[in-house]
Amino acid sequence: MRYRAEIDGHELEFDLRCQGHCATAIVDGTVVPITMTRIGSSTEYAVLFGNRSFSFEVQRNAAGTWVAHCGRVYHCRAQNAQREALARLGGAAEGHQRAWELRAPMPGLVLEVRVREGDAVEAGQGVLVVEAMKMENELRAPCAGTVKEVKVKEKESVEQNQLLIVFA
């Protein structure tokens, strides 16, 4: 199945064929075997991607998927390319939901609010910095638009999945 992914504002298209815990990805004509195993807690994974191995933690919410790897947090969205094409034609497939909210991917402390109500933002623009697990994590706008409402202030503690910013 063909997918379109966005990782920190960078787009990527690939085909993915799954069989149990193993899969094959085809990226730019290159076939790469993938093996993924859940480790430790329910949000930690080990992945063998071709001959390279990675471990990372995944958090999901309405704004997308957040992947923590080597001290950085990446905002990722992947969508079936066929479903995305239908949505663009105005016939959004069942279950398709456009992200208009930014929610906390993990509990933490808001260190910096970089936008105010009425500000225009681009998809992937850094809008908040949240300290979690002794790391500063820049949270990015999930879509281009205007900041409708900022629900948090600097030095405020937030819980996982707490609404932070609403976009119009």
Side-chain angles (χ1 to χ4, degrees), residues 7 39 52-53 58 63 81 94 97 104 115-116 124 131 144 153:
I7 303 170
I39 56 175
R52 299 173 63 189
S53 64
V58 176
E94 188 174 322
Q97 186 175 29
V115 293
R116 293 183 294 180
E131 182 182 69
K153 298 175 185 163

Side-chain angles (χ1 to χ4, degrees), residues 73-86:
V73 177
Y74 301 91
H75 179 230
C76 307
R77 289 190 320 165
Q79 185 168 21
N80 175 315
Q82 186 177 27
R83 183 173 289 195
E84 184 177 86
L86 285 171

Side-chain angles (χ1 to χ4, degrees), residues 111-128:
L111 295 180
E112 184 180 353
V113 178
R114 296 181 175 168
V115 293
R116 293 183 294 180
E117 293 175 15
D119 285 354
V121 296
E122 297 295 323
Q125 178 181 334
V127 293
L128 280 176

Side-chain angles (χ1 to χ4, degrees), residues 7 15 18 40 49 51 56 66 69 75 82 86 90 92 102 148:
I7 303 170
D15 288 300
C18 298
F49 188 86
N51 294 327
F56 54 88
W66 306 85
H69 174 68
H75 179 230
Q82 186 177 27
L86 285 171
L102 177 63
K148 182 178 179 182

Side-chain angles (χ1 to χ4, degrees), residues 1 3 14-25 34 36:
M1 184 170 292
Y3 287 89
F14 58 95
D15 288 300
L16 186 64
R17 297 181 186 133
C18 298
Q19 282 186 308
H21 295 291
C22 298
T24 301
I34 302 170
M36 188 160 113

Side-chain angles (χ1 to χ4, degrees), residues 31 45 65 69 91 97 99 126 129 135:
V31 178
Y45 294 87
T65 302
H69 174 68
Q97 186 175 29
V129 177
M135 294 186 298

